[in-house]
Amino acid sequence: MDVSVVWTINARTASVDKAVESLAEIQEEGFRRVWCTQMPNEPDALTMLTVAGWEVPEIEFGTSVLPMQVQHPMLLAQRALTTNAIIGPRLHLGLGLSHQVVTEGMWGVSYKRPVQRTNEYLDGLLPLLNGEKVSSAGELVTTRGALTIADVPAPPVYLAALGPKMLGIAGSRTAGTVTWMTGPKTLRDHIAPTLRTAAEAAERSASDVRVVAMLPVSVTDDADGARAAAAEQFAMYDNLPSYKAMLDREGFTGPGDAAIVGDEATVADRVRELGAFGVDEFVGILFDRDRETRARTRALLRTLDA
């Protein structure tokens, strides 16, 4: 199992220089890949990682996740291929549908028929990424045309898929899924088997798809304090239906229970357990404000990256 960390580019005091500096530190520590989140009110992740990737060679990037509703498949294909043209084939393109409160409340875009929208979006995006002409007229998303961006490798595409229908799309059409606030039993009993069954039904190998699991993590001697901090920092996810369903399925009382916290041995055991449960890559979100604790956590995660 690969082990990665979230590269934070979205702090209020974020700057390009600080982003490059922090990415260089992560690469020097030996991590092979970072994932960056995309919130609707924060810096554009693809732009930031393209600039930082130009300055910091070799390390790979994942987006977790870019919203589909506010960018046409052709626009996203242009942006993703341009990124790979600049930094080399280091991008892993994680996509998602965001949430109804965001799409309808902030953007004025309907959240209805998410499965159909996702399929129609991929009908346009995937051929364009692979250098093919596309003519796909959907009810929600229509894509026609081709790009003249030659000899640029297509990034693997992941879906933020949690429910069975979305996992079916991810398993049959993409490189896998990226999860958040999803605990070990749910990953073992629902996410991994549903994804891989869908892959096999589409005549793909189960090994063709990957489960990327993101969870808060803290190596600390104050586990109760860390859980309380996680509960406070990630409280919003208890009110978003897709994540609330995952927390309930696991039997968690809230986001604090999803955090992996404890001393080095405890955290190491819980992260390794995820690999045994079908996770291909664990992505740790370091939520402590204490720089020393964050360094301690990152040091342990680096040792677990096989």
Side-chain angles (χ1 to χ4, degrees):
M1 182 178 68
D2 296 327
V3 177
S4 306
V5 293
V6 166
W7 169 50
T8 302
I9 60 174
N10 54 15
R12 291 184 179 182
T13 58
S15 68
V16 173
D17 289 341
K18 288 183 178 179
V20 171
E21 181 181 351
S22 66
L23 181 66
E25 290 177 0
I26 294 171
Q27 178 168 282
E28 288 171 6
E29 290 170 4
F31 287 98
R32 293 174 287 180
R33 181 159 48 248
V34 294
W35 291 76
C36 49
T37 59
Q38 179 65 80
M39 302 297 281
N41 59 325
E42 293 174 345
D44 180 66
L46 269 184
T47 301
M48 293 290 281
L49 74 83
T50 302
V51 173
W54 176 260
E55 297 290 338
V56 182
E58 298 180 7
I59 197 165
E60 297 181 357
F61 301 88
T63 59
S64 57
V65 292
L66 301 184
M68 290 184 278
Q69 290 98 323
V70 288
Q71 49 191 330
H72 189 270
M74 184 168 285
L75 172 61
L76 182 56
Q78 287 174 318
R79 298 178 69 216
L81 290 174
T82 300
T83 295
N84 267 356
I86 293 171
I87 70 171
R90 293 190 274 156
L91 176 64
H92 295 246
L93 190 62
L95 308 177
L97 285 169
S98 189
H99 305 276
Q100 186 173 9
V101 66
V102 176
T103 60
E104 297 185 354
M106 297 177 68
W107 302 332
V109 178
S110 174
Y111 195 73
K112 294 179 180 179
R113 296 187 283 176
V115 172
Q116 180 178 351
R117 180 180 294 276
T118 299
N119 270 317
E120 291 180 1
Y121 197 94
L122 293 177
D123 288 344
L125 178 68
L126 296 179
L128 290 171
L129 289 176
N130 288 311
E132 302 167 9
K133 184 177 181 180
V134 62
S135 180
S136 173
E139 294 182 12
L140 302 175
V141 182
T142 292
T143 309
R144 298 189 181 95
L147 299 177
T148 56
I149 304 175
D151 302 320
V152 178
V157 174
Y158 295 78
L159 282 182
L162 299 174
K165 291 182 179 179
M166 291 296 288
L167 284 167
I169 298 174
S172 62
R173 304 193 65 181
T174 76
T177 187
V178 182
T179 71
W180 168 238
M181 283 294 155
T182 304
K185 291 185 293 184
T186 302
L187 289 164
R188 178 193 63 196
D189 300 334
H190 168 58
I191 299 292
T194 305
L195 182 77
R196 294 185 171 117
T197 297
E200 292 172 344
E203 298 184 347
R204 307 174 72 195
S205 170
S207 62
D208 289 340
V209 291
R210 290 167 52 85
V211 175
V212 180
M214 303 178 66
L215 285 167
V217 59
S218 175
V219 175
T220 176
D221 298 322
D222 181 15
D224 290 341
R227 288 192 189 92
E232 179 180 358
Q233 182 169 336
F234 303 111
M236 63 177 289
Y237 297 105
D238 206 22
N239 298 311
L240 295 173
S242 56
Y243 296 128
K244 175 65 172 171
M246 295 298 102
L247 293 169
D248 290 346
R249 188 180 191 120
E250 194 72 19
F252 290 155
T253 60
D257 292 343
I260 298 177
V261 300
D263 60 18
E264 278 83 356
T266 299
V267 171
D269 286 345
R270 290 193 59 190
V271 171
R272 290 192 185 104
E273 180 184 60
L274 296 177
F277 287 174
V279 172
D280 299 285
E281 183 169 356
F282 170 72
V283 184
I285 294 187
L286 283 63
F287 60 92
D288 299 277
R289 292 181 173 88
D290 184 299
R291 184 177 179 86
E292 183 178 343
T293 302
R294 291 171 65 88
R296 184 179 173 188
T297 303
R298 225 154 68 180
L300 175 67
L301 294 180
R302 176 61 194 94
T303 68
L304 298 176
D305 186 22

